[in-house]
Amino acid sequence: MTTRDVGGSAAGFRAAADTGPVLDLPPQSFAEVLTSDLLVSPTLLAGSEGTNREVSNVAVMAVPDIGPWLRTGQLLITTTSVLGRLVEPVDVFLTRLDRRGVAGLAVRLDDGTAALPAEMCDAADELGFPVVVVADLYPQAHPLAGDLAELSARQVDAVFEADRLRRVLVDVVMAGGGFAELADAVARELGGAVLITTPDGRQLCRAGDESELRRLASSAALDSTGRVRTDSTEGGLGLHRLGDEFIAVSAISANGIDHGRLVQSSTGRQLSSEDLYLVEQAAAVCALVVARELVVSSVEEKHRANFVRDLLLGRGGEHEHVVAHAKTFGWDLDRPVVVVVIEPDPVGEDEPSMPRMPLVERQARAFTSAVAGRDPGAAVTALPTETVILMGVGTDTMNLVHELVAYVRGDGGGGRRAFGVGVSRPTDSVDGIPALYGQARTALKVGRQITGAWAVTHFDDLGVYRLLSLVEDDSELESFASETLRELTADTPEAQDMRRTLEVLLATNINIAETARQLHFHYNTLRYRVVKLEKMLGSFTDHPELRLDLSLALKIMAMRGINS
């Protein structure tokens, strides 16, 4: 099969040229297939509007879990006994085939009394997805008969191998093993390099041959932060080729929620659909660990969140009591700390192909992972609308915060939701935490207003914006800006350009030569602009009070995002 780019990154993932149970055909319409000798006595039952679909390959569905072997343009041949073992409703199954680009379905009736369910034909007609009944799976004298029989046998072999793998991995889980032990077992059984990641590709653990892991780390499958590129179609799921490297990616889902990815990489051999099938079965066992941990962590997280909420509201109690209680969660609050608040930016989010846990919980888990190796005693908690971190103070606190943000953000790809960050001043007593929380919230709010998405702001960097943020009446601030700046508040390129000139003039204390240098203007050009500005705003070059008013008005416009 030819490869096609499905990437969402600069390098992108490529669909791997698969050696799985699929046979290529000369491209032809489904109607032409019906008149060929490939199908035995075909009768079109439903989906006649789709007979113009192009068929480019054929496969036998010998097992109900056909997902890894589905291809665009595929004619899928199966039996009523296999369809009867589907775990999903047959109309949902047809919809999935249609979404994956399958061209049509041929079904052999296993006995004279068998019939296709009515809901299957209704769904096929609605989708325009052709469904035919055939007398046999394939003509015994057809040149492809032997190949199709072999492909069917390979599917069955894969099912037995998957059953063996599941037993091995379930034993690991029953013995108390977690993701790290499962990754080791998968790497041992399947070979190559194995990663377990979050849904957006942040690594939780890795295992396998060190040389394979190094090659994977330097490949286009990972971005510069070590995150697996799950930015491509459907979260990067499926088989992919990256030069000489092949990777299989499967979702780890529990209770209908997407919790991560299981990735197998190999450079020693080309991975096939059977390998992807095994990875998917291993991911299903990984979901058992997720379900087990969710039961335990949900209770613990509720206690942690209640404790932090009380601290932020000043209801934590005496310092010694709070410190002792925090230690039961593994947190160290008996030291100077700062409060860091992380909140998703208020923008729309496309619905993911698979339901995921709430956004704030995902971000809290990401920051927990990021903080663990840098400040093990930090407290990280998900509250209803934000993540709160109580972390130790150092000489480079803001550098550390930027490191955490870079880790969680990755390279910013994959449609990741932007978030704002506010950082407080330090305190050496838990009594000061409520005030610090207020500082962090103010820094977050004002920093977002000034900078926009991905703002990371320290309270001490706000300057006069701190005072302006205390004015709750937005209309009063906007009125002051409008009355002070007059025509310069207009939403036009000329007004914006003149505001920029005024801003630099005020910043240089009306130093004409320095302002001209910074703005790349001729000295006389800037002199002309100063005269023009003073006609609009008054003689600000001679009146410090007016300069102060103008400076505040410009900051109000920046903070409120007026014409910015």
Side-chain angles (χ1 to χ4, degrees):
M1 297 175 63
T2 53
T3 61
R4 60 186 177 87
D5 184 24
V6 295
S9 62
F13 278 151
R14 228 173 232 232
D18 182 38
T19 60
V22 175
L23 292 178
D24 289 333
L25 296 174
Q28 55 196 293
S29 69
F30 195 91
E32 291 174 319
V33 173
L34 291 176
T35 60
S36 71
D37 58 354
L38 178 61
L39 299 178
V40 182
S41 304
T43 301
L44 182 65
L45 289 189
S48 57
E49 292 184 1
T51 53
N52 60 339
R53 296 184 180 215
E54 182 180 277
V55 178
S56 58
N57 61 94
V58 60
V60 176
M61 176 180 168
V63 296
D65 191 4
I66 191 65
W69 295 289
L70 295 178
R71 297 289 181 272
T72 299
Q74 184 174 79
L75 168 63
L76 193 59
I77 306 174
T78 189
T79 68
T80 50
S81 61
V82 174
L83 291 177
R85 297 189 181 97
L86 289 172
V87 296
E88 60 188 342
V90 68
D91 55 337
V92 174
F93 172 68
L94 280 191
T95 301
R96 181 158 63 95
L97 296 186
D98 181 63
R99 189 171 61 247
R100 292 288 297 272
V102 175
L105 182 67
V107 184
R108 185 192 71 190
L109 305 180
D110 286 334
D111 58 66
T113 62
L116 298 184
E119 59 268 25
M120 182 176 188
C121 295
D122 292 341
D125 282 331
E126 183 176 347
L127 294 168
F129 184 85
V131 174
V132 301
V133 169
V134 292
D136 206 345
L137 287 178
Y138 34 79
Q140 298 303 315
H142 194 278
L144 294 181
D147 293 329
L148 290 171
E150 179 187 350
L151 300 184
S152 177
R154 287 173 60 182
Q155 280 187 14
V156 174
D157 289 343
V159 171
F160 282 110
E161 176 60 20
D163 183 64
R164 186 195 68 79
L165 177 63
R166 275 196 304 270
R167 292 174 184 272
V168 171
L169 299 182
V170 168
D171 285 344
V172 172
V173 176
M174 296 299 291
F179 279 155
E181 291 77 13
L182 279 176
D184 285 334
V186 173
R188 186 170 59 251
E189 295 294 325
L190 302 184
V194 172
L195 305 178
I196 294 180
T197 79
T198 60
D200 59 353
R202 283 179 294 101
Q203 294 186 38
L204 300 176
C205 58
R206 45 186 272 163
D209 181 79
E210 280 300 324
S211 61
E212 292 272 9
L213 286 169
R214 285 194 297 272
R215 279 193 288 268
L216 177 60
S218 61
S219 75
L222 274 61
D223 69 18
S224 59
T225 68
R227 185 194 300 264
V228 176
R229 295 186 187 275
T230 59
D231 310 357
S232 55
T233 304
E234 295 186 354
L237 304 180
L239 286 173
H240 304 281
R241 180 174 185 173
L242 298 154
D244 295 330
E245 192 164 28
F246 296 84
I247 67 172
V249 185
S250 177
I252 299 173
S253 59
N255 300 324
I257 296 176
D258 185 6
H259 289 279
R261 297 287 181 269
L262 177 63
V263 180
Q264 183 202 7
S265 170
S266 173
T267 52
R269 65 184 180 87
Q270 181 173 328
L271 299 181
S272 68
S273 295
E274 290 92 336
D275 295 296
L276 177 61
Y277 182 68
L278 294 177
V279 171
E280 290 183 348
Q281 301 310 304
V285 179
C286 290
L288 296 177
V289 174
V290 172
R292 182 184 67 193
E293 291 181 350
L294 285 176
V295 172
V296 176
S297 65
S298 62
V299 177
E300 293 181 346
E301 183 57 34
K302 182 178 180 180
H303 288 306
R304 289 194 290 264
N306 288 338
F307 174 64
V308 170
R309 190 178 295 109
D310 285 342
L311 277 181
L312 301 180
L313 295 175
R315 302 190 307 223
E318 297 295 329
H319 181 88
E320 293 75 13
H321 168 75
V322 170
V323 169
H325 195 170
K327 284 183 178 178
T328 65
F329 299 128
W331 300 340
D332 180 11
L333 299 185
D334 192 19
R335 56 177 178 164
V337 298
V338 296
V339 176
V340 181
V341 176
I342 302 103
E343 182 180 72
D345 284 343
V347 294
E349 179 180 25
D350 294 335
E351 286 297 319
S353 57
M354 184 181 298
R356 300 168 71 177
M357 71 173 63
L359 176 61
V360 173
E361 291 186 31
R362 299 202 309 267
Q363 289 183 344
R365 289 192 174 201
F367 276 97
T368 298
S369 175
V371 170
R374 296 167 173 84
D375 185 358
V380 185
T381 308
L383 297 181
T385 61
E386 63 191 6
T387 298
V388 175
I389 304 177
L390 307 178
M391 56 184 283
V393 178
T395 57
D396 57 350
T397 300
M398 283 306 293
N399 286 337
L400 176 56
V401 171
H402 282 289
E403 283 183 21
L404 299 177
V405 170
Y407 176 88
V408 173
R409 182 181 178 183
D411 63 0
R416 264 166 230 115
R417 276 288 298 270
F419 53 82
V421 181
V423 184
S424 74
R425 291 171 171 170
T427 183
D428 55 5
S429 171
V430 296
D431 293 336
I433 287 179
L436 265 59
Y437 174 63
Q439 293 175 5
R441 286 292 314 167
T442 298
L444 169 64
K445 174 187 174 184
V446 179
R448 175 181 286 157
Q449 291 172 330
I450 299 170
T451 309
W454 301 109
V456 180
T457 313
H458 193 285
F459 183 72
D460 282 340
D461 293 335
L462 295 180
V464 73
Y465 289 113
R466 285 169 48 197
L467 299 178
L468 294 176
S469 68
L470 297 176
V471 180
E472 297 181 358
D473 189 349
D474 288 356
S475 62
E476 183 63 32
L477 288 173
E478 293 176 15
S479 176
F480 175 82
S482 179
E483 292 171 3
T484 304
L485 293 174
R486 303 176 188 178
E487 299 99 312
L488 292 191
T489 59
D491 187 12
T492 63
E494 181 183 4
Q496 292 177 1
D497 186 35
M498 293 299 285
R499 285 203 304 272
R500 172 60 180 160
T501 300
L502 176 61
E503 184 179 13
V504 178
L505 275 168
L506 295 173
T508 61
N509 197 24
I510 318 300
N511 186 322
I512 305 297
E514 177 60 20
T515 301
R517 187 190 66 80
Q518 290 190 25
L519 295 176
H520 305 290
F521 288 159
H522 189 276
Y523 183 87
N524 290 335
T525 301
L526 189 60
R527 292 290 303 176
Y528 169 76
R529 285 199 167 208
V530 171
V531 172
K532 186 176 180 180
L533 284 169
E534 291 200 314
K535 286 181 179 180
M536 287 188 285
L537 306 174
S539 183
F540 61 86
T541 58
D542 297 325
H543 294 85
E545 296 84 358
L546 179 55
R547 291 202 295 272
L548 176 60
D549 288 349
L550 292 170
S551 179
L552 287 174
L554 288 172
K555 292 185 183 301
I556 290 170
M557 293 193 70
M559 188 176 76
R560 299 298 176 185
I562 306 170
N563 298 338
S564 58

